[in-house]
Amino acid sequence: MRIAVVSLFPELVGQVGEYGVVGRAVERQLLSLNCENPRDFAEDAHRTVDDRPYGGGPGMVLKYEPTAKAIRQAKDSVPEGSPVICLSPQGKVFDQATARRLSDLQGFVLLAGRYEGIDERLIENEVDEELSLGDFVLSGGEIAAMAVIDAVARLLPGVLGDEESATQDSFMDGLLDHPHYTRPESVAGQRVPAVLLSGDHARIARWRYKQALGRSFLRRPDLVAELKLNQEQRKLLDEFLKEQG
Ligand code: 9WO
């Protein structure tokens, strides 16, 4: 998998490939990351990449030419036909299904804009899709790009160990995660749920799924609405709600 990022802050974006799961994927050459900076393609003495918005208004807009050249350079570093994806509040909300779709590609380019916006002609001519992490505005697209890289890298074959990828799958059921506990057994006057100390793996798996289903129902009813609950799932959910009082 080859990912290229177009950003005015390559040092910021590069950090994602230095640590943890993504760092391991890069080390094992399961993933390559490179960054192109539009400032390196600005041809004036001041290496200008932004300018005032036509029509007035606050802030600056990312200029077309240097950014388009950076995108073209980035496209040369990923397989032919790789999509160019802009991170912006105007995009489709990123989710696990999109992470899965991107992880099946040979590569892609991420455009992380800055300022108040990106010249619209650049989006029309060079961008294949826009992705948003949610309805909020960041100072730029870099942090969103790093999140996409992390979510995709975890899905690449060989990146997560078998055990870890199993937990990944549990989320892939479209539910929130179950609660997690570790030593000590008692802290702050609260004990670990007895079922988790039972050693009965079937009971533990049932309890974890019940918790995931119940938490999803209470916190993200939209996720549960997507599911067609079978009789056993409805029974688990009822049990959870009764236990919650
Ligand atoms: C700035 C702004 C200010 C007031 C009202 C709306 C606004 N939109 C923007 C804006 O989109 N600025 C951008 C900065 C230009 C593109 C990159 N930037 C960005 C990306 N800000 N926030 C994101 C982002 C990306 C993905 N998911 C959520 C937010």
Side-chain angles (χ1 to χ4, degrees), residues 90-112:
Q90 288 77 35
K92 172 181 176 289
V93 176
F94 182 66
D95 59 10
Q96 194 69 13
T98 302
R100 171 69 65 194
R101 172 169 63 86
L102 296 182
S103 72
D104 289 335
L105 299 177
Q106 292 298 307
F108 51 88
V109 175
L110 294 175
L111 171 57

Side-chain angles (χ1 to χ4, degrees), residues 86-90 111-118 131-142 144-145:
C86 176
L87 288 306
S88 110
Q90 288 77 35
L111 171 57
R114 277 275 155 173
Y115 309 111
E116 288 308 295
I118 300 170
L131 285 180
S132 167
L133 294 194
D135 294 333
F136 52 85
V137 178
L138 299 165
S139 311
E142 285 83 6

Side-chain angles (χ1 to χ4, degrees), residues 158-174:
V159 172
L160 291 184
D162 292 345
E163 210 175 73
E164 290 170 302
S165 60
T167 54
Q168 181 79 26
D169 292 342
S170 70
F171 178 74
M172 304 290 278
D173 295 343

Side-chain angles (χ1 to χ4, degrees), residues 30-125:
L30 298 169
L31 168 65
S32 77
L33 278 181
N34 75 286
C35 261
E36 297 299 342
N37 184 342
R39 207 172 289 286
D40 296 338
F41 299 87
E43 292 179 358
D44 64 304
H46 301 289
R47 303 178 75 206
T48 308
V49 292
D50 62 322
D51 206 335
R52 289 174 293 112
Y54 281 116
M60 304 293 271
V61 175
L62 197 62
K63 282 178 69 66
Y64 188 104
E65 269 303 339
T67 313
K69 286 175 184 167
I71 290 173
R72 281 178 216 127
Q73 183 73 24
K75 287 175 83 167
D76 287 346
S77 66
V78 297
E80 184 78 26
S82 298
V84 176
I85 301 166
C86 176
L87 288 306
S88 110
Q90 288 77 35
K92 172 181 176 289
V93 176
F94 182 66
D95 59 10
Q96 194 69 13
T98 302
R100 171 69 65 194
R101 172 169 63 86
L102 296 182
S103 72
D104 289 335
L105 299 177
Q106 292 298 307
F108 51 88
V109 175
L110 294 175
L111 171 57
R114 277 275 155 173
Y115 309 111
E116 288 308 295
I118 300 170
D119 189 300
E120 190 62 19
R121 292 164 292 186
L122 193 72
I123 294 169
E124 285 166 6
N125 300 343

Side-chain angles (χ1 to χ4, degrees), residues 157-225:
V159 172
L160 291 184
D162 292 345
E163 210 175 73
E164 290 170 302
S165 60
T167 54
Q168 181 79 26
D169 292 342
S170 70
F171 178 74
M172 304 290 278
D173 295 343
L175 294 175
L176 301 181
D177 204 358
H178 58 73
H180 298 266
Y181 297 85
T182 188
R183 284 176 290 209
E185 262 187 53
S186 178
V187 65
Q190 290 168 289
R191 304 191 60 76
V192 171
V195 62
L196 297 179
L197 309 174
S198 68
D200 181 337
H201 297 298
R203 261 188 76 208
I204 292 168
R206 183 180 187 278
W207 179 87
R208 284 175 168 167
Y209 187 77
K210 178 171 67 174
Q211 296 300 314
L213 190 53
R215 284 155 73 114
S216 301
F217 179 80
L218 293 178
R219 300 180 191 189
R220 289 289 308 277
D222 57 302
L223 291 179
V224 178

